[in-house]
Every structure is written in structure tokens, then in C-alpha cells.
């Protein structure tokens, strides 16, 4: 039912310097696949085949990844090596890709607002490709689309994190209306542990209704002078309803070295098991 998915990918990836000096964080590979490709596969599995990517300077490799590479195709045509391209070819056949640039890095909320031109007035998914999710049974976006189909409001994915990690996340407070599903009453961006309303941290998966763009336009810069999606979502929660969904599966914070290495081990193991 939701056809569009937005990938904010304009950030500098400073935690991975110098790797990200000339290469976007989103094309860094976990085993043999760039982070962004895992994200697009998750979106497509949820039926979202219209992919919008918010890029910035130095992100050309992202566009090239989802385009034909004639020389390479010619070189391996008819050889067994073609099998390596099967997954990416499927994405290129089944998805459309559109790009827009965020000219100044004014935060995730601003990046999402920049993507309005690709989305228009319909509900859409948002995937932060550096949060790599391996869903249990179904992909996380598929699980969230199911929640949206039932409640027709914005949905954020949450995970319970240890309190000493809570300062890295947007954190929600809310009442549980179904097992693992919360109606949000408050949200705080990157709180100190003593100010955190819970240990339910927002991770990089959202389904947003298009009124979020109007709210983002009115949202003043918050923490670090950035336009925070958390602030806009709190306004939306107060005006209407926003749900927080404790997804089933495992998430790797591939924006950090520890998460990146864990994800590499996890997916390498999976690949070996497949044989
Ligand atoms: P992060 O803060 O995790 O990513 O933003 P970053 O800025 O790339 O990395 P570090 O912290 O410097 O290492 C979360 C997501 O939001 C996007 C990023 O690309 C990332 O996917 N983002 C953030 C934007 O697209 N634009 C922004 O202005 C900020």
C-alpha cells in the first residue's frame, strides 16, 4: 500500500573517517553488499518500490551503484560471475530511483523535509541505511507497514537499549496499546540517563504521514542547531497520534565501528550457512 521509501543519506559519517572522506558511509559494504542495498531490499520486500535518496556532496557512488555499469556487464556477460550481480539487478529492474540533494547538513528532520519533492502527499517509509536490520521472519519495514495498515498514522521503530547507551538516541514515553506497540506521549532527543523517559530508543525506521512535512517546516532547530525529526514527531503525536513499534529482529548500528564489525560477522555467518 505504501509505495515510496526515503533514504536520508547526506550525513558526513564523521565516525568513520578517514574511510568516509571520499566514500559515502552508505556504500560501505557489510560482507559483499553496500549498506544502502540492504536497506533498499528491505523496502522492496515491504512493497516500496519507489526509492528516494537524499544525497549530498561526494555521494555520487550511491547513484552509480543503482545504475548500469556497461563495461562491467560486458566483461562478465555469460560467465558464472554474473550470479554476483543477481541481487542488484533485481533491485534495478523492480525499483525506480530518484535523488535530491540536501545542500546544508541541518539534521535528519531537514533531510526528510528536503525529500518532500520526491514523496509528495502520501505516506512513506524512511530508512537510515546505517541502522542495518535483520528482521525476524519479515523485514522490519514489512512489520511496520502492517502496523500502518491497521492504524493509519506515523509509526517509529523502537528498541530497548541499556541506559548507558540512551544518550545516543531519541527516546519515547507512551502507553502500551498492544504487545510491543506504544502510543507516544513524549519524546526526548539524546537525553542523559536521568532525564530519559524510558529505555525505548528510536532506531532508523519510520513510516510517516505527509503532514510531517508541514510540521517540519514549522519546527525550529533543536539540539545541536539541527532540525530534529523527534521534535516534529512529538508535535504530530500531540496533534494526532504516533505509534512506537518494538520490532522483531536484530539491529546493527553500522554508523559505529562496533556495530559495523558485529554486522559483518552476523552476515558472513549467514552467507556461510547458505553455502
Ligand atoms: P547520523 O548523525 O547517524 O549520521 O545521522 P552522520 O552524520 O552521517 O554520521 P556521523 O555521526 O557524522 O558519524 C543519521 C542519518 O541521517 C542522515 C545521515 O546520512 C544518516 O543516515 N542525515 C543526517 C542527513 O541525511 N542529513 C543531515 O543533515 C543529518
Amino acid at each position: 500500500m505504501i509505495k515510496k521509501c526515503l533514504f536520508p543519506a547526506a550525513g558526513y559519517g564523521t565516525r568513520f573517517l578517514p574511510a568516509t572522506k571520499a566514500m559515502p558511509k552508505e556504500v560501505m559494504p557489510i560482507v559483499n553488499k553496500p549498506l544502502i542495498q540492504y536497506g533498499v531490499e528491505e523496502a522492496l520486500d515491504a512493497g516500496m518500490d519507489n526509492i528516494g535518496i537524499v544525497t549530498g556532496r561526494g555521494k555520487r557512488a550511491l547513484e552509480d551503484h543503482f545504475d548500469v555499469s556497461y563495461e562491467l556487464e560486458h566483461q562478465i556477460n555469460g560467465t558464472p560471475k554474473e550470479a554476483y550481480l543477481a541481487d542488484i539487478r533485481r533491485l534495478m529492474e523492480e525499483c525506480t530511483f530518484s535523488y535530491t540533494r540536501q545542500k546544508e547538513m541541518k539534521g535528519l528532520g531537514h533531510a526528510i523535509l528536503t525529500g518532500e519533492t520526491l514523496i509528495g502527499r502520501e505516506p512513506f517509509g524512511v530508512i537510515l541505511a546505517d541502522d542495518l536490520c535483520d528482521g525476524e521472519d519479515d523485514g522490519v519495514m514489512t512489520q511496520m507497514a502492517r502496523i500502518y495498515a491497521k492504524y493509519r498514522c506515523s509509526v517509529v521503530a523502537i528498541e530497548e537499549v541499556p541506559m548507558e547507551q540512551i544518550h545516543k538516541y531519541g527516546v519515547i514515553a507512551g502507553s502500551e496499546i498492544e504487545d510491543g506497540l506504544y502510543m507516544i506521549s513524549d519524546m526526548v532527543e539524546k537525553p542523559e540517563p536521568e532525564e530519559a523517559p524510558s529505555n525505548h530508543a528510536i532506531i532508523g525506521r519510520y513510516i510517516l504521514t505527509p503532514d510531517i512535512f508541514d510540521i517540519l517546516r514549522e519546527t525550529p532547530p533543536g539540539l545541536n542547531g539541527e532540525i530534529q525529526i523527534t521534535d516534529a514527531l512529538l508535535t504530530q503525536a500531540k496533534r494526532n497520534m504516533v505509534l512506537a513499534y518494538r520490532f522483531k529482529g536484530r539491529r546493527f548500528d553500522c554508523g559505529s565501528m562496533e556495530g559495523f564489525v558485529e554486522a559483518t560477522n552476523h552476515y558472513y555467518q549467514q552467507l556461510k550457512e547458505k553455502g
Side-chain angles (χ1 to χ4, degrees), residues 42 59 87 99 114 116 148 212 221 265-266:
E42 184 185 326
K59 300 274 185 173
D87 288 352
Y99 301 87
T114 305
E116 182 180 19
Y148 175 80
I212 198 76
N265 289 330
H266 175 81

Side-chain angles (χ1 to χ4, degrees), residues 108-136:
L108 177 57
H110 182 259
I112 292 174
L113 183 56
T114 305
E116 182 180 19
T117 181
L118 305 177
I119 301 294
R121 301 304 295 183
E122 55 187 285
F124 61 103
V126 175
I127 291 183
L128 306 186
D130 49 352
D131 260 348
L132 180 52
C133 290
D134 190 10
E136 195 182 298

Side-chain angles (χ1 to χ4, degrees), residues 79-194:
T79 76
K81 288 186 177 167
E82 269 196 298
Y84 295 132
L85 291 181
D87 288 352
I88 182 72
R89 279 183 176 161
R90 178 176 81 98
L91 296 186
M92 285 161 56
E93 271 163 26
E94 295 185 24
C95 298
T96 59
F97 294 88
S98 319
Y99 301 87
T100 191
R101 277 196 182 204
Q102 187 187 14
K103 293 188 205 80
E104 286 175 282
M105 302 321 137
K106 292 197 218 159
L108 177 57
H110 182 259
I112 292 174
L113 183 56
T114 305
E116 182 180 19
T117 181
L118 305 177
I119 301 294
R121 301 304 295 183
E122 55 187 285
F124 61 103
V126 175
I127 291 183
L128 306 186
D130 49 352
D131 260 348
L132 180 52
C133 290
D134 190 10
E136 195 182 298
D137 300 328
D138 291 313
V140 174
M141 207 26 107
T142 302
Q143 298 173 30
M144 292 175 74
R146 237 178 258 136
I147 305 287
Y148 175 80
K150 188 166 170 193
Y151 292 95
R152 308 275 171 155
C153 66
S154 291
V155 185
V156 304
I158 51 166
E159 180 180 276
E160 293 190 48
V161 303
M163 268 310 185
E164 62 272 17
Q165 305 263 335
I166 205 82
H167 64 279
K168 298 182 190 165
Y169 297 92
V171 182
I172 67 122
S175 48
E176 196 165 13
I177 57 170
E178 272 184 40
D179 185 31
L181 189 65
Y182 299 80
M183 194 191 293
I184 293 178
S185 56
D186 198 10
M187 288 169 118
V188 190
E189 185 60 30
K190 300 190 171 67
E192 291 305 318
E194 53 280 8

